[in-house]
Amino acid sequence: MRVKSQTRYHIQRVLTFSGVTLESLTFSGVTMEYSGNETSTFANLRSFHSGVTVEFPLCDTISFMKKKHIIAGSAGFLRPTPARPELGPVMRYMLDLTGQKRPKLCLLATAGGDDPAWIKNFYDACSGQNVEPGHLQLFPMPNHTDIEDYVLGQHAIWVGGGSVVNLLAVWEAHGLHRILRRAWEAGVVLGGISAGAICWSAGGTTDSYGPELRPVINKHHLLPYSMGVHYDGEEQRRPLFQELIGKGALPEGYATDNGVALHFVNEKLYKTISQEAGKGAYHVSLSEPGQVIEDRIEPQLLTAM
């Protein structure tokens, strides 16, 4: 997009194009071009993303910020048959957010111990699709020499399920939590299912310790909410999630039935989506008298492609 100035003028508003947010404009008389997503002055502008010309007066400073997206919940791959995994509608929704015709999609299967079978299923699901698949494994050692360079070069990152407790420990040991935060802030779309959803939140319930569910706290969270997964699939999930929020052990949060995911933009819930009819999402909070309140959120039903 090209910004062409004519008269001095100040605009205090937000404009979004090609995934870039433009805000606080003060224009005065030059044609400027920009390429990048960081805060910049007009002296540093070079080329805009879309090539569309927009009439604005000249700016003293422009802030360009990528929107930060997280897709998290209880939905991911589809399996029409046991031998044929597919990218589900929720994953395709996530890929569309990248704005890329052939996005680079990285799998993190840390929670499953980087199981080779899981990684193979991922590549099988991506085969023949308009996506460039890759993966980052940490067991027994990283498969990329420069983890940060690899992660920041992706358009989207999908985190699989398994043990969220083990995932958080291994990520911290490798400094991956810091790298993923930088990727998120740079506009890489993050997503995941089950443990791969809780890992972005302040905590949730987990079977990482054994069959009886226990709380898990994530000190490196990107979202300030707790996360409940498989809400309709495991009978312990709902009562324990509510109990922990009621006691203040977890902050207010969101929960998803199987097949449902939450779309957060810049730390706020933007939309709930589902790849199965009749399923729901829930906001669970604590009222002033100390009563747990659960509000159902009806998701948008996505269609398989």
Side-chain angles (χ1 to χ4, degrees):
M1 182 174 285
R2 177 175 299 168
V3 175
K4 185 182 293 184
S5 69
Q6 295 186 356
T7 58
R8 185 172 182 80
Y9 189 67
H10 180 74
I11 303 174
Q12 191 73 36
R13 60 183 293 193
V14 175
L15 304 168
T16 303
F17 50 91
S18 298
V20 178
T21 300
L22 181 71
E23 60 180 73
S24 190
L25 310 179
T26 308
F27 289 102
S28 91
V30 184
T31 297
M32 301 171 299
E33 298 183 355
Y34 174 78
S35 70
N37 58 15
E38 303 297 331
T39 300
S40 177
T41 65
F42 62 82
N44 297 324
L45 300 175
R46 289 291 182 272
S47 71
F48 276 142
H49 294 275
S50 68
V52 177
T53 299
V54 177
E55 297 291 335
F56 282 118
L58 165 156
C59 98
D60 293 324
T61 59
I62 299 182
S63 270
F64 295 90
M65 298 180 299
K66 285 280 189 180
K67 283 188 176 180
K68 299 179 292 187
H69 297 280
I70 292 177
I71 306 296
S74 307
F77 291 101
L78 289 180
R79 281 188 172 275
T81 68
R84 188 166 66 89
E86 293 182 358
L87 299 178
V90 165
M91 297 185 74
R92 293 184 181 278
Y93 176 94
M94 179 187 74
L95 292 172
D96 286 344
L97 293 174
T98 68
Q100 303 292 319
K101 291 183 178 179
R102 186 175 173 82
K104 295 179 181 179
L105 172 62
C106 170
L107 172 69
L108 285 174
T110 318
D114 290 326
D115 186 333
W118 292 16
I119 295 172
K120 180 183 183 300
N121 284 340
F122 167 72
Y123 282 101
D124 287 346
C126 293
S127 178
Q129 306 300 310
N130 286 325
V131 62
E132 186 177 327
H135 72 283
L136 171 62
Q137 68 183 58
L138 300 176
F139 295 97
M141 63 183 69
N143 61 328
H144 294 278
T145 303
D146 190 331
I147 293 177
E148 182 168 7
D149 182 68
Y150 177 74
V151 168
L152 293 177
Q154 304 302 303
H155 298 118
I157 294 172
W158 182 261
V159 183
S163 171
V164 67
V165 170
N166 292 347
L167 173 153
L168 294 175
V170 173
W171 282 10
E172 182 170 26
H174 287 271
L176 188 56
H177 59 291
R178 291 189 294 269
I179 295 171
L180 288 168
R181 177 177 287 275
R182 286 195 283 273
W184 178 56
E185 291 172 345
V188 178
V189 181
L190 306 180
I193 180 173
S194 193
I198 297 172
C199 66
W200 312 121
S201 74
T205 61
T206 179
D207 57 5
S208 296
Y209 300 105
E212 292 295 320
L213 293 182
R214 290 171 54 180
V216 58
I217 305 300
N218 179 12
K219 63 183 178 181
H220 300 305
H221 59 86
L222 301 181
L223 300 172
Y225 317 103
S226 56
M227 184 76 63
V229 296
H230 309 305
Y231 216 48
D232 65 339
E234 300 174 21
E235 62 180 6
Q236 297 179 50
R237 294 281 183 178
R238 184 182 238 123
L240 181 58
F241 192 61
Q242 292 186 0
E243 177 187 338
L244 293 169
I245 291 175
K247 294 191 303 186
L250 289 176
E252 70 171 288
Y254 295 91
T256 51
D257 289 339
N258 287 339
V260 178
L262 308 161
H263 178 188
F264 294 92
V265 178
N266 299 339
E267 302 180 358
K268 301 292 185 182
L269 181 65
Y270 170 71
K271 183 186 291 187
T272 61
I273 52 179
S274 178
Q275 56 195 36
E276 296 183 34
K279 298 301 186 84
Y282 310 86
H283 177 234
V284 183
S285 59
L286 196 60
S287 68
E288 287 187 6
Q291 179 181 0
V292 175
I293 300 172
E294 180 183 284
D295 294 312
R296 182 182 171 97
I297 306 169
E298 293 299 329
Q300 174 188 337
L301 181 61
L302 304 178
T303 56
M305 297 178 64

